[in-house]
Amino acid sequence: MPLSERDEEAFKFLQRIEFTLAENDSDFFLKFYFAENPFFKQTLLEKKFFYEEDELVKVESTKVEWHDGKNLTKKVIKKVLNIFNHIEIKK
């Protein structure tokens, strides 16, 4: 899945990724190390993938602590039509 332009901005702060294979040789863990950035407060975000019989059964992720107004998972919608707004006409 390609990164969106918005995500690309945050990933410019990515410094390295660590991969760890669990002892069961099927589960694995990814650690994403970021420089301080204007998007989220943490410098380490983790994803953990758990398998049973070669089937992905669970994914756990760090809860991202977004800086105010910088949440990349929320889409900003700009108003195009304001025809339903109340308008006062002064005489």
Side-chain angles (χ1 to χ4, degrees), residues 35-67:
E36 287 188 24
N37 64 80
F39 299 99
F40 41 85
K41 297 175 183 177
Q42 301 104 310
T43 56
L44 172 62
L45 300 176
E46 298 181 73
K47 277 194 93 80
K48 298 177 181 182
F49 299 84
F50 299 93
Y51 288 82
E52 287 179 9
E53 298 178 13
D54 294 332
E55 183 177 331
L56 182 63
V57 293
K58 183 165 96 171
V59 178
E60 294 178 356
S61 300
T62 303
K63 183 177 184 332
V64 178
E65 296 176 31
W66 299 101
H67 288 294

Side-chain angles (χ1 to χ4, degrees), residues 3-73:
L3 291 175
S4 71
E5 286 182 30
R6 293 174 72 205
D7 290 341
E8 282 182 20
E9 289 300 310
F11 272 86
K12 288 179 181 177
F13 296 92
L14 181 64
Q15 296 178 317
R16 73 178 192 274
I17 300 172
E18 285 182 8
F19 170 86
T20 304
L21 185 62
E23 291 180 14
N24 65 7
D25 288 333
S26 60
D27 301 341
F28 66 92
F29 315 113
L30 296 174
K31 291 184 178 184
F32 298 83
Y33 292 89
F34 288 86
E36 287 188 24
N37 64 80
F39 299 99
F40 41 85
K41 297 175 183 177
Q42 301 104 310
T43 56
L44 172 62
L45 300 176
E46 298 181 73
K47 277 194 93 80
K48 298 177 181 182
F49 299 84
F50 299 93
Y51 288 82
E52 287 179 9
E53 298 178 13
D54 294 332
E55 183 177 331
L56 182 63
V57 293
K58 183 165 96 171
V59 178
E60 294 178 356
S61 300
T62 303
K63 183 177 184 332
V64 178
E65 296 176 31
W66 299 101
H67 288 294
D68 290 340
K70 297 293 185 171
N71 187 335
L72 298 174
T73 66

